[in-house]
Amino acid sequence: MTVIAVVDYDMGNLHSACKGLEKAGATPKITSSPLEIAQADGVVLPGVGSFDPAMQHLKERDLIEPITQAVKSGKPFLGICLGLQILFEASEEGKEEGLGIIKGKVRRFQSEANLTIPHMGWNTLDFTQNNHSLWKNLPLSPYVYFVHSYYVTPSDSRVISGQVTHGSQTVTAAIAKDNLMAVQFHPEKSSHHGLQILTNFVELVCT
């Protein structure tokens, strides 16, 4: 049985991520156990909320090293929303250091006339790594669901696998590097396109 660990650190609705993974054919396991994360075939790091509390909760639960090792292990790893942002070194939202697995910083959308912050709702995802396995069987520029005021800026633009435009600002919507993938949007709330993305991730875990 293929098991995907869904990391529990008290930041977000884990059950919606699990339901999405179950629909995609996976057996998700909500856990904060370093051993269960290490033993899982794949790992999902979800998250909703703010950067500093997220990092504080990870430290309190001694989860920083298990997450870092899970990425280093080569097993498929998927970050979602805040789970993308905390992979980076720092954020304009707070003072805590991030995991630093990906070099770069989290920044806030710049104010513009008639621009709503947070960026909330459906928007098109534009691929920059067109042939990545996470995007398999998706149309060009699929609509996915976003809720965020901050976005990641990788130091190495080659890790960017998708972008989104809000107002005049085109920002990172997804990254991918080796076994590590992470998205700013919510695939579990993105209807059939989101389910396809989760299905693609589950297939990577099973291969």
Side-chain angles (χ1 to χ4, degrees):
M1 183 175 64
T2 301
V3 176
I4 296 177
V6 179
V7 181
D8 179 8
Y9 60 112
D10 278 341
M11 295 297 292
N13 185 353
L14 303 175
H15 296 286
S16 61
C18 285
K19 285 180 181 178
L21 289 166
E22 286 172 352
K23 287 181 181 178
T27 303
K29 184 177 183 63
I30 295 174
T31 182
S32 57
S33 162
L35 180 60
E36 289 179 341
I37 293 169
Q39 291 176 337
D41 301 291
V43 176
V44 172
L45 180 65
V48 176
S50 300
F51 193 92
D52 278 7
M55 291 308 304
Q56 290 159 6
H57 289 183
L58 289 178
K59 289 175 184 175
E60 289 166 3
R61 296 189 175 203
D62 293 323
L63 286 171
I64 290 178
E65 184 65 17
I67 290 170
T68 302
Q69 288 303 316
V71 174
K72 289 181 178 178
S73 74
K75 69 180 70 176
F77 188 106
L78 177 65
I80 297 175
C81 196
L82 185 61
L84 159 68
Q85 295 180 6
I86 59 177
L87 295 172
F88 283 71
E89 296 172 291
S91 174
E92 291 181 348
E93 187 179 16
K95 297 179 180 179
E96 293 281 346
E97 287 186 5
L99 293 170
I101 294 170
I102 299 293
K103 301 297 183 185
K105 191 170 182 178
V106 183
R107 302 189 184 280
R108 194 177 194 277
F109 278 108
Q110 297 298 308
S111 296
E112 294 180 16
N114 302 317
L115 184 73
T116 301
I117 302 173
H119 171 213
M120 182 181 296
W122 296 88
N123 205 339
T124 52
L125 171 65
D126 297 314
F127 305 134
T128 52
Q129 296 178 1
N130 294 315
N131 297 320
H132 195 277
S133 299
L134 205 60
W135 311 142
K136 190 175 71 172
N137 296 326
L138 289 172
L140 289 176
S141 301
Y143 276 87
V144 291
Y145 191 82
F146 290 86
V147 183
H148 64 122
S149 301
Y150 295 81
Y151 60 90
V152 298
T153 56
S155 299
D156 183 356
S157 62
R158 291 175 296 181
V159 306
I160 300 172
S161 60
Q163 295 180 317
V164 65
T165 300
H166 185 45
S168 67
Q169 301 169 63
T170 298
V171 303
T172 303
I175 63 164
K177 182 181 180 183
D178 302 323
N179 60 304
L180 173 62
M181 297 149 275
V183 297
Q184 182 61 68
F185 56 91
H186 287 274
E188 76 280 7
K189 297 179 181 179
S190 297
S191 190
H192 56 282
H193 290 151
L195 180 58
Q196 183 62 59
I197 290 168
L198 292 176
T199 299
N200 292 340
F201 177 72
V202 171
E203 287 180 358
L204 287 170
V205 175
C206 292
T207 54

